[in-house]
Structure formats: C-alpha cells, structure tokens
C-alpha cells in the first residue's frame, strides 16, 4: 500500500476529492492531512473521513516538527492541495516526490502571491481567452517545478474572477485525483 499525505491551508475541496478517490483503493491511500491553519475547513473534511490531521505553524514547518511527523507516516507521495506556504528544502531533500496544483497554465500567473483569487483576478484583468490548471513537482522555487499535467478551459464567457474560479475548480476536481493515481502507480 502506498501512502499519500495531503497539505492544505483552506477549504479543502481538492483534498476531499483526493480522499474520496483513494478511499476504496487497494494500492494507495491518503493517510493524513497537514494544515498550517487551525481554522481551515480542510480539517473538518479530514475528520469526516476519519483521517488524522496534523496542525502546525510556519516555524514548525521549518524546524523539524513537520519532518518528524512525515517520518512517522512514511509517505510515498506528498500532495499540496491549496497549501500556501513555501515548502522547505529540508523536507524536499528527504521527500522529493512532492506535487502541487496551480490554478493557471504555468509559467503564466505563477510565483509568490499568485494563488487562488489573485490568479483568477489577474487572468480576468488581462482578458485571457483561456486559463487552466497545472500539476507540477515542487522544488525550492514557487511554481517552477517540472510540469506533470496541464489542462485548459475557455473563459471567454466569464465576467468575474468567481466564474473563472468555478471553472478551475471543476478541472481540479476532475483531473487532480486521476493524475495522482497515475503518478503513484508508476512510482
């Protein structure tokens, strides 16, 4: 059985889709959810699926606390599903299989501060005809790791960042669990 650990900072809709996708999988399973926010809705979602959750602060992400918790779980893959802190090199050295999903077609609209509605608002203001999702490996720089998968969507009919966000969420929920499944099966 291969273990997946999820990191999320917010609502956790992607995390929940991933948890459900692997719920009855006999090859891979989500073993825990990590969050840097005590009030994150993702923690309720983890609890509803009887998954252990680890809550930590920014210092604990970098001082060895999170790394120690990961050692206990021995993840085969770490998935960032709406995790907003920069992932530390100390963890990447020991767990190089870390992937992230970004709500745009990288390399456009990536980098520090480009997450969630910030991305959708920038896409809207630049009058883009399409946007999409990028699933990529995590390295020491924001949104610069090797691409694994991209999927685009036409947004010419979108009049607000919220409408763009809805289309992106549909793509994320449809493709993210599948791509994780293929990735972990091939490792």
């Amino acid at each position: 059985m291969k273990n997946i650990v999820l990191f999320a900072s917010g609502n956790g809709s992607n995390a929940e889709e991933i948890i459900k996708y692997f719920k009855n999988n006999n090859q891979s399973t989500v073993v825990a959810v990590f969050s840097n926010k005590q009030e994150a809705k993702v923690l309720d979602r983890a609890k509803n699926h009887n998954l252990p959750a680890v809550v930590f602060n920014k210092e604990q992400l970098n001082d060895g606390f999170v790394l120690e918790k990961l050692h206990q779980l021995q993840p085969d893959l770490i998935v960032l599903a709406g995790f907003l802190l920069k992932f530390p090199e100390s963890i990447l050295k020991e767990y190089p299989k870390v992937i992230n999903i970004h709500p745009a077609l990288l390399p456009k609209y990536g980098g520090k501060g480009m997450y969630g509605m910030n991305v959708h608002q920038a896409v809207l203001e630049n009058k883009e005809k399409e946007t999409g999702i990028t699933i990529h490996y995590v390295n020491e720089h924001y949104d610069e790791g090797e691409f694994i998968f991209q999927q685009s969507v036409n947004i010419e009919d979108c009049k607000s960042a919220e409408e763009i966000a809805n289309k992106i969420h549909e793509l994320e929920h449809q493709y993210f669990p599948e791509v994780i499944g293929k990735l972990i099966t091939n490792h």
Side-chain angles (χ1 to χ4, degrees):
M1 182 69 80
K2 294 193 177 178
N3 294 335
I4 301 167
V5 170
L6 302 178
F7 278 72
S9 297
N11 184 32
S13 65
N14 273 324
E16 184 158 42
E17 291 298 318
I18 295 163
I19 292 164
K20 289 193 298 196
Y21 186 88
F22 289 99
K23 193 86 167 169
N24 297 311
N25 185 308
N26 58 4
Q27 295 174 328
S28 308
T29 189
V30 175
V31 293
V33 173
F34 283 57
S35 183
N36 61 307
K37 297 206 171 166
Q38 185 73 50
E39 70 285 354
K41 179 114 171 63
V42 72
L43 298 172
D44 295 331
R45 294 178 189 263
K47 189 176 177 183
N48 291 341
H49 289 281
N50 299 313
L51 279 174
V54 176
V55 180
F56 58 91
N57 60 34
K58 194 172 185 177
E59 291 72 38
Q60 290 172 316
L61 178 62
N62 295 296
D63 72 5
F65 172 82
V66 170
L67 190 56
E68 179 56 38
K69 295 290 184 191
L70 287 170
H71 286 325
Q72 293 168 14
L73 294 166
Q74 290 297 303
D76 296 285
L77 184 66
I78 296 172
V79 176
L80 310 186
F83 183 69
L84 301 182
L85 296 179
K86 190 163 190 263
F87 216 67
E89 286 183 52
S90 58
I91 296 176
L92 289 171
K93 280 182 184 145
E94 295 201 38
Y95 296 97
K97 289 188 176 75
V98 179
I99 66 169
N100 183 40
I101 190 163
H102 187 75
L105 296 170
L106 291 173
K108 285 181 161 184
Y109 306 104
K112 189 171 173 61
M114 292 306 281
Y115 59 88
M117 292 307 279
N118 296 353
V119 172
H120 307 315
Q121 192 61 45
V123 166
L124 182 71
E125 288 170 7
N126 286 328
K127 298 177 176 38
E128 296 283 358
K129 292 182 181 356
E130 71 173 18
T131 188
I133 59 170
T134 304
I135 299 168
H136 63 92
Y137 286 103
V138 174
N139 66 14
E140 63 276 7
H141 305 288
Y142 280 112
D143 303 324
E144 291 183 14
E146 179 188 345
F147 295 177
I148 299 164
F149 176 86
Q150 286 190 307
Q151 181 65 45
S152 62
V153 64
N154 184 300
I155 54 164
E156 290 178 273
D157 62 334
C158 292
K159 307 282 186 257
S160 70
E162 288 77 14
E163 288 179 34
I164 294 171
N166 289 337
K167 285 194 172 194
I168 293 301
H169 281 123
E170 285 178 27
L171 289 181
E172 290 172 337
H173 295 169
Q174 180 180 352
Y175 292 105
F176 203 15
E178 279 180 29
V179 170
I180 294 165
K182 286 179 186 160
L183 202 60
I184 201 157
T185 302
N186 295 331
H187 280 298

